[in-house]
Amino acid sequence: MGIEKVGVVGFGAMGSGIAQVCAVAGFHVRVRDVEQRFLDRGRDRIAESLARIVKAGRLTDEQARAALGRIHGTLALADLADCDLVVEAVVEEIGAKNAVFAELDEVCGPAAIFTSNTSSLTIVEMATATRRADRFAGLHFFNPPMMMRLVEIVQAITTSDATIEVLRSFVSRLGHTGVVSRDTTGFIVNRLLQPYLNSAVRLLEQGVATAEQIDAAMKLGLGHPMGPLELIDYTGVDIIYHIGNIFFEEFRDPALAPPSLLRRMYLAGRLGVKSGRGFYEYDVKGKRKT
Ligand code: CAA
């Protein structure tokens, strides 16, 4: 089965990035969010990102306009009825995700494949809430999806090999690289990333080095584009804190539990770039001040 029409549920940072990647690759995309202002904000975010790509000479103005024209926002999940593939990117809560999938299961055709962009939840728990557990998988993009070329394709114990093959071919049509992972909490990247980010916060807590020194060390010493504390600010302190709790719940490994400082930053609303302050301070455009 080939994929032509893609549905995306949730038009936040990840949903808008995923919609953008699909539209640039030539797919028609229907995106659903719950309020018009979220649809407007997602569209603005895509237009801004496309403008940067045009400025960098990687797309023409015309290609960017055509891609934007292939994205249609809607407030009704029923408008995703004729999609061949749906990527869910709503909040990282099993109840919210399963409610979306239960509704989609009623409106979409039986052959449609459902996927979740979850970072930390269990795919089989969503798959079994639908009547298509064999056509259900994880499809995990990285932020920002236009720049990060990896997609983890997650095979739950219920996912058929045929579904994985369709998703492999879809991901390569996006110009991205797919790696297949089993449905274990955190898959490959976050399973390795989470203890690394926690360790960086613990080094800071223990006064081993300043935030700037920790970030400079990892950028210059290992060639990473961002240091670990910058990456937490970029991804969101709330997201990393929330993922840490889910990981600890699953594995009971203290290395995966969110460090005290991260919890306190979360409670203080120091969420990183989006709140203007995390390990560093940012202006309203998200540019680093300190
Ligand atoms: N859209 C389009 N183009 C973009 C872009 C975006 N969102 N972000 C960056 N670019 C392009 C632009 O051409 C930009 O040039 P301009 O600033 O002139 O427009 C160019 O990249 C360089 O960008 P920056 O100067 O902003 O900075 P940079 O060179 O550091 O690149 C970055 C930005 C690509 C984000 C890079 O810092 C990076 O790769 N960081 C690591 C990101 C990462 O690790 N992501 C994974 C997070 S974990 C995750 O997502 C999983 C999870 O489940 C939590």
Side-chain angles (χ1 to χ4, degrees):
M1 176 205 159
I3 307 287
E4 292 313 324
K5 281 195 187 152
V6 180
V8 176
V9 187
F11 215 12
M14 291 308 293
S16 61
I18 294 165
Q20 180 182 352
V21 169
C22 295
V24 166
F27 292 96
H28 288 275
V29 189
R30 261 287 135 85
V31 195
R32 185 267 197 164
D33 212 317
V34 289
E35 287 183 38
Q36 186 59 42
R37 68 191 166 106
F38 298 142
L39 293 178
D40 296 341
R41 194 184 56 187
R43 209 172 178 78
D44 289 349
R45 202 181 264 139
I46 293 176
E48 230 169 79
S49 171
L50 286 171
R52 289 176 78 177
I53 295 169
V54 168
K55 198 166 146 235
R58 287 185 289 119
L59 274 187
T60 64
D61 231 345
E62 201 173 309
Q63 287 169 322
R65 254 202 310 274
L68 201 55
R70 283 191 283 272
I71 300 173
H72 299 280
T74 176
L75 297 174
L77 266 185
D79 286 338
L80 275 57
D82 62 347
C83 290
D84 307 306
L85 168 73
V86 178
V87 187
E88 167 279 315
V90 305
V91 287
E92 198 71 344
E93 285 167 20
I94 192 73
K97 289 181 187 286
N98 279 352
V100 164
F101 286 122
E103 199 177 334
L104 284 171
D105 210 23
E106 297 299 324
V107 298
C108 292
I113 293 177
F114 289 176
T115 64
S116 172
N117 180 56
T118 184
S119 312
S120 54
L121 298 172
T122 305
I123 300 301
V124 77
E125 199 173 349
M126 292 174 253
T128 50
T130 70
R131 293 186 302 258
R132 60 185 84 210
D134 58 324
R135 272 156 293 126
F136 197 116
L139 205 58
H140 185 218
F141 290 78
F142 293 82
N143 192 27
M146 267 318 285
M147 304 299 294
M148 311 310 286
R149 294 289 171 178
L150 176 71
V151 182
E152 289 175 319
I153 302 169
V154 185
Q155 184 162 22
I157 53 173
T158 50
T159 315
S160 68
D161 290 344
T163 298
I164 295 300
E165 279 322 302
V166 173
L167 292 174
R168 269 184 194 277
S169 129
F170 172 70
V171 168
S172 51
R173 278 173 73 193
L174 297 180
H176 280 39
T177 296
V179 293
V180 178
S181 166
R182 277 181 39 212
D183 178 23
T184 170
T185 302
F187 320 131
I188 301 168
V189 174
N190 280 339
R191 184 78 179 270
L192 295 172
L193 181 64
Q194 193 70 21
Y196 161 64
L197 297 180
N198 282 349
S199 301
V201 178
R202 291 197 178 103
L203 285 190
L204 183 68
E205 279 177 337
Q206 291 160 11
V208 172
T210 64
E212 288 82 356
Q213 287 164 347
I214 293 168
D215 281 336
M218 297 311 286
K219 280 191 285 193
L220 300 174
L222 290 180
H224 291 186
M226 285 180 177
L229 304 172
E230 286 176 301
L231 186 55
I232 295 176
D233 274 2
Y234 181 73
T235 306
V237 167
D238 51 337
I239 306 274
I240 300 300
Y241 173 66
H242 189 54
I243 293 179
N245 283 321
I246 294 174
F247 275 45
F248 183 66
E249 189 67 28
E250 173 77 11
F251 298 110
R252 299 281 157 183
D253 174 351
L256 295 169
S260 306
L261 174 60
L262 200 71
R263 174 153 186 268
R264 278 150 184 77
M265 289 173 66
Y266 167 73
L267 293 172
R270 291 188 189 172
L271 305 183
V273 177
K274 64 184 158 194
S275 74
R277 183 166 180 187
F279 293 99
Y280 303 99
E281 289 186 32
Y282 303 86
D283 66 19
V284 284
K285 289 191 154 175
K287 219 173 158 48
R288 176 115 156 243
K289 286 203 279 192
T290 54

